[in-house]
Amino acid sequence: MAKGTRNLLLCIGLLFHVTYIWSIFDIYFTSPLVHGMTPRKVDLTPPARRLVLFVGDGLRADKLYQLYQDENNSSLFTRAPFLRDIVLNHGTWGVSHTRVPTESRPGHVAIIAGFYEDVSAVTKGWKTNPVEFDSVFNQSRHTWSFGSPDILPMFAEGASDPEKVDTFMYGHESENFAEDATELDTWAFNKFAELISNSSSDPKLYQQLHDDKIIIFLHLLGLDSNGHAYGPHSKEYLNNIKVVDDGIYKTIQLLDEFYGNDMKTAYVFTSDHGMSNRGNHGDGHPDNTRTPIVAWGAGINRPNKEHPIGHDEFSMDWQLNSVQRNDILQADIAPLMASLIGINYPVNSVGELPLKYLNNTPLFKAQSIFVNAKEILEQYQVKYELKKRTKLMFKPFAPLSNSTHSPDIFINNIQHLIDTEKYVEAENLCRILISLCLEGLRYFQTYDWFMLRSIVTAGYVGWIVYSLKFTLKEYAFNYSTQSTVASNDPYGLLINVISIISLALLICILYVEESPITYYTYVIFPIYFWRDVIKERNIILDCCRSSLDNQSIFTSIIYVIGYIIGLEILVYSYFERNILSVCFVLAALCPWFISSKIWTGNSLWFFAWTISCLFTSIFTLLPVEKGEDITLVILGGLLVVITGCIALCESSKFTIGSYTSVRNMIGFQVGLVVLSIIVVYDTTNKLKDKAGLPFLNQIIAWIILAISTTTPFVYGAGKQHYFQRLTTISLSFAPLFVLLSISYEVLFYYFLTITLMIWHQIEYILFITSNPTLTLSHKGQTRKLVIEDIRVALVFLFFINVAFFGTGNIASLSSFSLQSVYRLTTVFNPFLMGALLVFKILIPFFIVSSVFGVINKSLNLPPFSLFLLVLSTSDIMTMNFFYLVRDYGSWLEIGTTISHFVISSLFSLFMILLFLLSELFVGEVIVDFGKITDEKKLK
């Protein structure tokens, strides 16, 4: 096969998978933004002239509300005495339920703008981009915001009046995980106090602060930083709650004095997202989606102690059962704030005004939720008109499209109820209208589901058949004499014409319906794939006939069914990680059922395989919520060092070329592992002592990273013995894994690498045993793929899954702790930290793909043949996850299904890149062809 043709296939596959990963967002999570609407507000006097919003970034609801044992375990106390007093005596409280992704940008957008960004918004998480939506800040007369440079600019830039939102921010360098993050919150409180103090000498500022419809926003990042650095159970995180509570108390005292206790200030305290026990967030775990909401001051109800409902098992141990708990959705906070100070509701808000929080006249409450309903109804009507105008066969939303439930009838009925002072009935009818409008908005957001899912399914199935046809044609059967099959096809012209007409028709439909540009890319791939498959249909049919001629039909069916069952087991492993351990145990037992002929002379390898599989199986049973354990890191590093020393002593047996060069390189790599252990040990102790990241250690760590990363590329990329090359690669990445580990990850890396090395040897043994006539004279000659080779492909997919899930969570990438990067940087930089975490995730992939590349060569197969066999079938798993994606149920379930699809799609994407990297790493290695028991040939 021409190398250019193979590379074309890989490029097409790369482009296809990059494009189709995004389909999940176009199908399930289209943007909720609706444009061209008129802002609305309540035309009654609001209860408050100003509003103060406190956001404790990363604060879990239970950590604020629960009570704690004192040091003597003799009594209980609260970390937030002031806020607890508000909850019990002065305000209204509850749990604010957030949505996926539980990141700072989407969380703040929900709080301040009242709508949920689509899940893909996490990709914008820290962009300092102008806001593309309306917000309460934009509708206020003036807003002063204090806190993080990661959050404040996105609400200040792009405001309708650039001078309307003032921001006071510390520098990015202040967000250092090695330092006391409570200083970030103290800075925000002090900066606000400074603003109040400055107003005494600034008449304009003084007047602005005494205007109505103003907002003061304090973004308190300390909790999030301490949560990432130490976890939500740490004393640092819990002490930060006390710092926030004290700061809020002092701020309120300052405001009361400044405004002369005019009782015209409303206060809201909440959080953008919670924090997992690992010190991370992002997925839909309840620890991340349940945040506190406490409101008090002007226009806010006092605690309901007569009928304290709303409690469940979650709040039972908070000892707050004497006051009613009022849960809300995070987007409900925006209309609440707008109602309190009498500003326009944000035009994109989908929040429902929580009337239980309001203390006002029945008329004010009814009018407030009526405006809320009309604002959401207008979004529905704009969406309705858009779909009606663009869709060829438009089907309206039935519940709001009949004569008895039209929007106009709802509006007239509600207005009549208000006019006749039937306020409770009006409120209930508003809730019904809001509910129907939200259902209608969802109906229009999912309007294209059937079409898109059909196109994407056709694309995935088309890619599987297209790439499998390509692999079979080039690697399983010889079609050199049939190169003109497609060109001589009498139906070839007809197929081309139908393909062009189909593509043109679909593009015209998409153009008329004003579909997004991504829709066009989705339809191109299935048309291209199926056109090629149909034109070369005889190849697939001939391959099937040839396979049946050379193999019993029963054996072929068994192999294919077994392969598909294996893929489904791997799909199940995403939900039950423990199944990977079961697979390891079964793999450990396999050698004991093979013939004694193969055992003869090779028993040591089979014993080693069994032991290594059993050891590696332990890691997928261990909890993913692992705390820092430097002892395990050092133990793993020492095992690598010991094994490296053994490889150094035995290096003469697998050296091709200069023995001195090989010995020096292995010794140098072992030395880097030792140095990395020392750096990790010293840095960890310094960070625990709050001494910060030592500069010298940081420099050494970055030097180790640079050297280790480049070593596989600059040393030994030419002709080397396969064992020498794999030793170089595994030792190159070992220091990086030591630096980026906090617990048992290095042990996992060690045992996974050993298991992979033995796997290669087992496959080599099985191949040589089944091909006893193979000698060194066959070197350079390759064979064709056979049905038995799908077993090797399946084992490779198994190890790819183990490489990712061996130390990580099934739900999301957020399971990988930020503590892993603290030996290299502690200053918050999401792109750098994210890149280091992704690199850590990819290291086991590099090892797996390198070993697989050597196996491909050891089995006397053409380069890339096994890789392409894997690539052409792995999307069977991706299709499983595509149809398992849910946009209903708990946010944990939704987030998990999204992560599964994205991870599976990325596996396919990574495999293409890893195949190319494997060719670079081990493409020129030399494998001994001969009987495995012949020591001379092994040497």
Side-chain angles (χ1 to χ4, degrees):
M1 178 188 67
K3 186 176 181 180
T5 310
R6 182 194 68 195
N7 292 341
L8 176 62
L9 175 71
L10 294 177
C11 290
I12 292 173
L14 189 66
L15 186 61
F16 167 74
H17 285 95
V18 169
T19 302
Y20 269 49
I21 285 177
W22 198 255
S23 67
I24 199 69
F25 300 113
D26 274 336
I27 296 174
Y28 294 100
F29 305 99
T30 54
S31 174
L33 281 176
V34 180
H35 301 285
M37 293 171 298
T38 304
R40 301 173 184 273
K41 68 176 181 178
V42 181
D43 292 324
L44 295 171
T45 304
R49 291 178 57 84
R50 67 201 70 91
L51 180 134
V52 183
L53 172 64
F54 303 97
V55 175
D57 199 308
L59 177 59
R60 276 167 48 166
D62 57 334
K63 294 303 175 184
L64 176 69
Y65 294 133
Q66 70 187 38
L67 297 175
Y68 299 85
Q69 291 278 357
D70 63 11
E71 294 180 357
N72 299 322
N73 292 326
S74 58
S75 62
L76 298 173
F77 71 98
T78 175
R79 299 281 179 178
F82 176 74
L83 288 173
R84 189 174 182 86
D85 179 64
I86 295 293
V87 167
L88 291 171
N89 302 300
H90 303 289
T92 304
W93 72 287
V95 175
S96 171
H97 297 274
T98 73
R99 288 192 180 183
V100 174
T102 47
E103 297 288 351
S104 288
R105 175 189 165 101
H108 282 88
V109 169
I111 294 169
I112 298 167
F115 79 94
Y116 304 102
E117 287 192 295
D118 58 287
V119 178
S120 62
V122 73
T123 61
K124 302 178 183 178
W126 303 103
K127 285 179 64 177
T128 310
N129 61 313
V131 291
E132 302 161 352
F133 45 80
D134 194 15
S135 70
V136 292
F137 292 176
N138 193 52
Q139 294 295 344
S140 69
R141 190 181 304 278
H142 202 93
T143 294
W144 292 267
S145 55
F146 305 82
S148 169
D150 301 313
I151 296 299
L152 304 191
M154 70 182 182
F155 293 101
E157 298 181 19
S160 57
D161 180 358
E163 297 184 357
K164 180 178 288 187
V165 181
D166 288 339
T167 59
F168 300 86
M169 303 174 290
Y170 39 75
H172 283 284
E173 67 280 358
S174 298
E175 300 176 20
N176 192 327
F177 292 113
E179 297 177 357
D180 186 2
T182 59
E183 293 299 323
L184 302 178
D185 298 340
T186 302
W187 184 96
F189 288 123
N190 291 341
K191 205 66 180 178
F192 171 67
E194 183 181 317
L195 177 79
I196 296 296
S197 176
N198 291 341
S199 68
S200 61
S201 58
D202 187 339
K204 181 181 178 181
L205 175 60
Y206 183 87
Q207 181 57 47
Q208 287 179 322
L209 288 169
H210 281 81
D211 283 337
D212 61 352
K213 299 179 174 58
I214 64 171
I215 296 176
I216 297 165
F217 170 44
L218 281 84
H219 175 243
L220 310 172
L221 186 63
L223 286 160
D224 186 73
S225 299
N226 275 323
H228 284 308
Y230 306 104
H233 300 291
S234 65
K235 64 178 182 180
E236 290 82 3
Y237 184 88
L238 299 178
N239 289 339
N240 205 149
I241 297 176
K242 179 69 168 95
V243 171
V244 168
D245 187 71
D246 289 342
I248 293 174
Y249 172 69
K250 293 175 182 177
T251 298
I252 291 173
Q253 282 189 319
L254 180 65
L255 287 171
D256 286 343
E257 180 181 350
F258 183 73
Y259 290 112
N261 292 300
D262 65 355
M263 309 298 289
K264 289 294 182 180
T265 308
Y267 301 94
V268 174
F269 175 79
T270 188
S271 176
D272 54 346
H273 55 75
M275 184 73 62
S276 73
N277 290 333
R278 298 181 301 275
N280 295 305
H281 52 82
D283 59 31
H285 192 280
D287 286 343
N288 293 330
T289 60
R290 293 187 294 210
T291 62
I293 171 72
V294 183
W296 69 100
I300 298 295
N301 265 328
R302 297 178 72 83
N304 181 356
K305 298 184 179 182
E306 296 181 2
H307 304 286
I309 60 174
H311 292 276
D312 56 19
E313 185 177 351
F314 180 53
S315 59
M316 280 303 172
D317 64 345
W318 298 348
Q319 296 190 17
L320 294 173
N321 295 344
S322 61
V323 290
Q324 180 170 314
R325 172 180 151 189
N326 302 279
D327 285 12
I328 63 172
L329 300 179
Q330 193 173 51
D332 298 342
I333 299 174
L336 172 64
M337 295 190 294
S339 173
L340 288 171
I341 57 176
I343 60 176
N344 293 323
Y345 288 41
V347 295
N348 296 117
S349 172
V350 295
E352 179 183 332
L353 180 66
L355 293 178
K356 291 181 180 179
Y357 279 72
L358 293 183
N359 178 21
N360 215 310
T361 64
L363 173 62
F364 184 88
K365 290 182 178 181
Q367 287 284 17
S368 294
I369 197 170
F370 188 27
V371 170
N372 188 193
K374 288 193 287 187
E375 176 260 329
I376 297 176
L377 173 62
E378 187 173 7
Q379 294 183 61
Y380 166 82
Q381 290 175 322
V382 171
K383 275 282 191 186
Y384 172 88
E385 293 298 330
L386 176 63
K387 293 294 183 182
K388 183 179 180 181
R389 177 173 56 84
T390 58
K391 297 304 172 183
L392 295 178
M393 293 182 291
F394 175 67
K395 293 182 180 180
F397 179 60
L400 284 175
S401 301
N402 56 59
S403 57
T404 58
H405 287 82
S406 69
D408 290 338
I409 292 176
F410 266 104
I411 295 298
N412 292 335
N413 289 342
I414 295 171
Q415 188 63 60
H416 175 71
L417 290 171
I418 293 176
D419 292 341
T420 56
E421 300 184 358
K422 296 180 180 179
Y423 301 121
V424 175
E425 292 88 339
E427 292 170 9
N428 292 334
L429 196 56
C430 284
R431 291 191 183 94
I432 294 173
L433 178 57
I434 289 173
S435 178
L436 288 175
C437 288
L438 293 177
E439 289 180 22
L441 286 171
R442 171 175 165 75
Y443 172 79
F444 290 128
Q445 281 186 274
T446 61
Y447 195 87
D448 297 327
W449 267 24
F450 178 76
M451 178 191 70
L452 282 175
R453 292 176 77 169
S454 300
I455 292 173
V456 171
T457 300
Y460 272 116
V461 176
W463 163 254
I464 292 171
V465 179
Y466 170 78
S467 56
L468 187 59
K469 179 266 302 179
F470 190 93
T471 304
L472 292 175
K473 174 184 175 182
E474 301 296 338
Y475 295 120
F477 301 95
N478 185 6
Y479 269 87
S480 59
T481 60
Q482 301 189 33
S483 58
T484 60
V485 169
S487 60
N488 295 331
D489 187 356
Y491 300 104
L493 180 61
L494 178 61
I495 293 171
N496 287 336
V497 171
I498 293 175
S499 299
I500 293 173
I501 293 174
S502 300
L503 181 61
L505 182 62
L506 287 170
I507 289 176
C508 288
I509 292 173
L510 295 176
Y511 179 79
V512 171
E513 295 189 346
E514 300 180 9
S515 300
I517 189 65
T518 51
Y519 286 23
Y520 295 85
T521 61
Y522 298 151
V523 302
I524 291 173
F525 285 106
I527 295 291
Y528 173 78
F529 292 149
W530 285 108
R531 168 196 162 275
D532 188 85
V533 168
I534 294 173
K535 288 188 72 174
E536 296 192 329
R537 60 195 180 280
N538 290 333
I539 293 176
I540 298 177
L541 296 175
D542 290 346
C543 288
C544 292
R545 295 191 193 100
S546 177
S547 178
L548 294 178
D549 291 341
N550 299 324
Q551 194 97 16
S552 72
I553 186 171
F554 179 76
T555 303
S556 298
I557 292 175
I558 289 296
Y559 269 105
V560 172
I561 292 176
Y563 187 76
I564 295 175
I565 291 174
L567 292 179
E568 294 303 315
I569 290 174
L570 293 181
V571 169
Y572 183 68
S573 72
Y574 280 63
F575 301 92
E576 291 292 339
R577 181 167 167 257
N578 297 345
I579 195 68
L580 296 174
S581 296
V582 175
C583 293
F584 265 121
V585 172
L586 293 176
L589 298 176
C590 284
W592 303 89
F593 295 95
I594 63 177
S595 67
S596 57
K597 177 183 176 182
I598 301 177
W599 263 86
T600 304
N602 302 311
S603 57
L604 182 62
W605 287 112
F606 292 125
F607 277 116
W609 168 256
T610 298
I611 294 171
S612 66
C613 282
L614 292 177
F615 271 108
T616 312
S617 70
I618 296 173
F619 296 98
T620 46
L621 295 174
L622 297 176
V624 294
E625 296 183 359
K626 49 187 177 292
E628 188 173 56
D629 191 335
I630 192 64
T631 303
L632 292 179
V633 177
I634 294 175
L635 177 60
L638 291 177
L639 285 176
V640 173
V641 170
I642 293 171
T643 307
C645 291
I646 295 173
L648 180 63
C649 296
E650 299 292 320
S651 59
S652 61
K653 297 180 180 180
F654 51 81
T655 296
I656 296 177
S658 172
Y659 169 66
T660 303
S661 173
V662 173
R663 182 188 60 193
N664 291 342
M665 174 52 65
I666 295 177
F668 176 69
Q669 291 179 305
V670 171
L672 283 181
V673 177
V674 173
L675 182 60
S676 64
I677 294 173
I678 296 172
V679 169
V680 166
Y681 178 79
D682 186 62
T683 301
T684 302
N685 289 330
K686 291 291 195 303
L687 292 175
K688 283 183 178 179
D689 295 337
K690 303 294 179 63
L693 175 60
F695 180 71
L696 179 60
N697 290 10
Q698 185 180 23
I699 295 298
I700 294 174
W702 279 105
I703 291 175
I704 292 174
L705 184 146
I707 294 175
S708 298
T709 304
T710 55
T711 297
F713 297 95
V714 300
Y715 177 80
K719 295 185 180 299
Q720 280 189 327
H721 190 281
Y722 75 90
F723 193 77
Q724 174 188 345
R725 184 62 179 152
L726 291 178
T727 301
T728 299
I729 294 171
S730 59
L731 285 177
S732 293
F733 292 119
L736 299 181
F737 225 71
V738 172
L739 290 173
L740 295 171
S741 296
I742 62 171
S743 184
Y744 58 78
E745 300 102 304
V746 183
L747 288 170
F748 166 75
Y749 175 81
Y750 173 79
F751 283 107
L752 176 66
T753 303
I754 294 296
T755 304
L756 288 169
M757 296 278 203
I758 299 173
W759 173 45
H760 162 264
Q761 207 63 36
I762 296 295
E763 294 292 351
Y764 192 11
I765 291 170
L766 295 177
F767 176 65
I768 294 295
T769 306
S770 61
N771 296 272
T773 60
L774 189 66
T775 65
L776 286 173
S777 62
H778 291 81
K779 186 177 179 180
Q781 301 177 7
T782 58
R783 64 178 178 87
K784 295 293 184 180
L785 282 171
V786 294
I787 191 69
E788 291 88 348
D789 290 323
I790 65 174
R791 173 186 55 79
V792 184
L794 183 62
V795 176
F796 168 72
L797 281 173
F798 168 73
F799 276 117
I800 282 289
N801 278 262
V802 172
F804 183 78
F805 294 133
T807 60
N809 190 5
I810 322 293
S812 74
L813 297 176
S814 70
S815 64
F816 296 89
S817 173
L818 280 181
Q819 288 178 282
S820 300
V821 305
Y822 291 169
R823 288 83 187 237
L824 294 159
T825 180
T826 55
V827 176
F828 181 66
N829 185 325
F831 297 108
L832 175 61
M833 290 179 164
L836 289 172
L837 286 177
V838 169
F839 188 43
K840 175 187 176 183
I841 294 169
L842 290 179
I843 287 175
F845 285 77
F846 297 154
I847 305 299
V848 175
S849 62
S850 297
V851 172
F852 192 55
V854 174
I855 289 176
N856 190 104
K857 186 177 285 285
S858 298
L859 299 187
N860 216 19
L861 288 167
F864 279 83
S865 55
L866 280 177
F867 280 128
L868 290 178
L869 179 61
V870 171
L871 185 64
S872 61
T873 55
S874 61
D875 277 322
I876 295 174
M877 296 171 59
T878 306
M879 287 185 63
N880 275 268
F881 295 120
F882 177 74
Y883 280 98
L884 287 172
V885 170
R886 298 170 59 180
D887 70 332
Y888 59 89
S890 74
W891 282 103
L892 175 59
E893 295 169 329
I894 295 170
T896 299
T897 58
I898 296 169
S899 294
H900 287 173
F901 172 77
V902 172
I903 290 170
S904 180
S905 300
L906 288 175
F907 277 176
S908 299
L909 191 61
F910 285 154
M911 274 189 274
I912 296 174
L913 301 176
L914 290 172
F915 298 166
L916 300 173
L917 192 64
S918 171
E919 182 71 6
L920 179 63
F921 277 173
V922 298
E924 298 295 325
V925 298
I926 297 174
V927 179
D928 294 317
F929 287 88
K931 290 189 176 181
I932 199 69
T933 53
D934 191 336
E935 288 190 10
K936 293 182 180 180
K937 289 182 180 179
L938 279 178
K939 293 180 182 179

